[in-house]
Amino acid sequence: MNEELRQKAVKQFEKLNLQYNQELQQTVALAAKLCQTPISLITLVDKDTQWIKVKKGLKIDRVPKELAFCTHVIKRKSLLIINDTRQNSCFSEHPFVTGDPNVRFYAGAPLITHDGHCIGTLCVLDYKPGTLTSQQKLIFRILAKHAIDVMELKLSLDQLDKSLASLKQVRAYKAADEIKLRSMFQSLTDAYFLFGTDGEIIDFNRAAYDFIKYTYDERLTYGRTMADFLTLPYRETFAINYRNALSGTGVYLETLADYGSKGKVWWDCVFTPVRNDRDEIIGVSYVARNINERKLIEEQIMEKNRLLLKVAEIQSHDYRGPVATILGLMSIIKEDNYVASKEYLLMLETAVKKLDEKIHEVVAIVSNPILSSKQAMLD
């Protein structure tokens, strides 16, 4: 783990007002409900401090890094559960265990960015010993993945705000349309499936059910497989990714799916091996997120960059010829004591008109980029 790069990633998220994000507030509430604990937090860990960005059941905003339980999760980059801190040799003498707030149970899941940097945790704490079932651990990790997705989306929106003022309306729309958590698992708006070792569906949420119903006009039930719904090309791709995850290799991909009359959808897909307490793979979890809006923003940025490059090309190449002609003629006219022949004036007029045309072309691109894009495609 490159600590310097991790610190840079943390600094980006520290600037965000995460404590006011409704989805993150719902996430910590769901984590506390899931684990039946009075305290649930989203934390960021920088060089010296653990910052408590979103919280339930705790009033403090920061903890020195050397006292933070979450630093152990950062080092492991995996789920950490301490069933009873007083029975754990690493934590039994910890001041938060021997004194206020008298922590007895801790569970922390890492918040890992798409670049692989572990910036903090989703964690829960209790004043009495506790434990989590395999299903609770799985859903807890899903909530952590959802939390970092929301945080990265907010970071992307803030960065777009600073660099592309013209996309402010897009950001407002996306902020208003953010995913709403309505219940602990069923209300996650990402489509979630849990498959057994034979590819059978053993669990799914409401978003997955609604997607299958709308897209394929089929009723999603336990025991069926994705082969019952997907068309041949998608069925083969899905089977390959499922087998990779079942063999222990997680898969992340972005893919464009064409559903005919139902339209096209860009998906952010994650296949993850599911393990039991003995670290045996017992299935595969599959989470799919609709990222059409993000792709639209990327396309808008690429188009703006293309138009800027076109303007730069006009300025660096098309301006040069007429400007050189004008300067050359003016030099000759100056040598002739500012007496110009008709031939020189006609040449000067032609150069000025050419320069004016290019100036109008640049103005047209800046004033109406959409029309310029369409004209460029026709050309």
Side-chain angles (χ1 to χ4, degrees), residues 145-163:
K145 174 64 168 60
H146 183 74
I148 189 63
D149 283 345
V150 172
M151 292 165 65
E152 288 195 306
L153 175 62
K154 184 168 178 58
L155 179 63
S156 296
L157 290 174
D158 278 20
Q159 290 173 338
L160 283 172
D161 251 2
K162 295 174 182 177
S163 59

Side-chain angles (χ1 to χ4, degrees), residues 279-346:
D279 204 35
E280 300 167 336
I281 296 177
I282 58 174
V284 173
S285 71
Y286 171 62
V287 182
R289 163 172 286 193
N290 185 320
I291 56 171
N292 275 353
E293 292 183 14
R294 194 183 83 192
K295 286 295 183 180
L296 175 62
I297 293 174
E298 291 175 357
E299 291 173 2
Q300 290 174 334
I301 293 173
M302 290 176 64
E303 181 56 26
K304 284 182 176 292
N305 288 338
R306 191 193 67 78
L307 291 176
L308 289 174
L309 286 174
K310 183 175 180 180
V311 170
E313 182 179 358
I314 291 173
Q315 291 176 333
S316 62
H317 298 290
D318 295 344
Y319 283 179
R320 186 173 298 172
V323 168
T325 300
I326 293 170
L327 291 175
L329 288 170
M330 288 305 301
S331 178
I332 294 173
I333 293 172
K334 182 179 179 180
E335 291 176 358
D336 292 342
N337 199 25
Y338 295 97
V339 176
S341 66
K342 182 178 181 180
E343 179 185 2
Y344 286 171
L345 293 176
L346 289 174

Side-chain angles (χ1 to χ4, degrees), residues 188-193 205 207-209 211 267 286-289:
L188 289 174
T189 51
D190 298 342
Y192 167 77
F193 299 83
N205 66 350
Y209 178 91
F211 170 74
W267 292 107
Y286 171 62
V287 182
R289 163 172 286 193

Side-chain angles (χ1 to χ4, degrees), residues 48-61:
D48 304 307
T49 306
Q50 172 183 271
W51 299 95
I52 301 173
K53 303 298 287 186
V54 186
K55 57 192 173 184
K56 178 184 183 300
L58 197 66
K59 294 183 179 180
I60 61 176
D61 295 321

Side-chain angles (χ1 to χ4, degrees), residues 174-376:
K174 288 183 70 65
D177 196 45
E178 281 186 347
I179 302 169
K180 305 298 180 182
L181 292 172
R182 297 183 182 87
S183 67
M184 182 166 46
F185 171 62
Q186 289 294 332
S187 67
L188 289 174
T189 51
D190 298 342
Y192 167 77
F193 299 83
L194 181 61
F195 300 98
T197 53
D198 294 324
E200 75 279 14
I201 298 172
I202 59 179
D203 204 358
F204 55 87
N205 66 350
R206 185 70 191 183
Y209 178 91
D210 290 343
F211 170 74
I212 295 296
K213 180 65 177 174
Y214 171 76
T215 305
Y216 302 104
D217 197 24
E218 291 272 0
R219 185 169 175 265
L220 186 59
T221 56
Y222 300 118
R224 301 189 69 175
T225 68
M226 292 304 287
D228 296 334
F229 310 109
L230 301 178
T231 55
L232 186 59
Y234 299 138
R235 188 186 312 163
E236 293 176 349
T237 301
F238 184 91
I240 293 172
N241 293 324
Y242 166 79
R243 287 194 295 268
N244 286 336
L246 196 61
S247 67
T249 303
V251 179
Y252 167 78
L253 71 153
E254 291 183 0
T255 183
L256 177 63
D258 189 346
Y259 300 109
S261 61
K262 300 296 176 64
K264 297 180 180 180
V265 177
W266 272 100
W267 292 107
D268 182 341
C269 305
V270 180
F271 294 78
T272 306
V274 177
R275 303 175 185 270
N276 61 16
D277 293 335
R278 297 185 298 277
D279 204 35
E280 300 167 336
I281 296 177
I282 58 174
V284 173
S285 71
Y286 171 62
V287 182
R289 163 172 286 193
N290 185 320
I291 56 171
N292 275 353
E293 292 183 14
R294 194 183 83 192
K295 286 295 183 180
L296 175 62
I297 293 174
E298 291 175 357
E299 291 173 2
Q300 290 174 334
I301 293 173
M302 290 176 64
E303 181 56 26
K304 284 182 176 292
N305 288 338
R306 191 193 67 78
L307 291 176
L308 289 174
L309 286 174
K310 183 175 180 180
V311 170
E313 182 179 358
I314 291 173
Q315 291 176 333
S316 62
H317 298 290
D318 295 344
Y319 283 179
R320 186 173 298 172
V323 168
T325 300
I326 293 170
L327 291 175
L329 288 170
M330 288 305 301
S331 178
I332 294 173
I333 293 172
K334 182 179 179 180
E335 291 176 358
D336 292 342
N337 199 25
Y338 295 97
V339 176
S341 66
K342 182 178 181 180
E343 179 185 2
Y344 286 171
L345 293 176
L346 289 174
M347 292 173 64
L348 191 61
E349 181 182 15
T350 300
V352 170
K353 286 182 178 180
K354 184 66 175 178
L355 183 60
D356 186 59
E357 288 174 4
K358 293 303 175 181
I359 292 173
H360 278 80
E361 186 176 346
V362 170
V363 171
I365 291 173
V366 174
S367 301
N368 198 337
I370 296 177
L371 183 60
S372 299
S373 298
K374 291 181 179 179
Q375 183 61 45

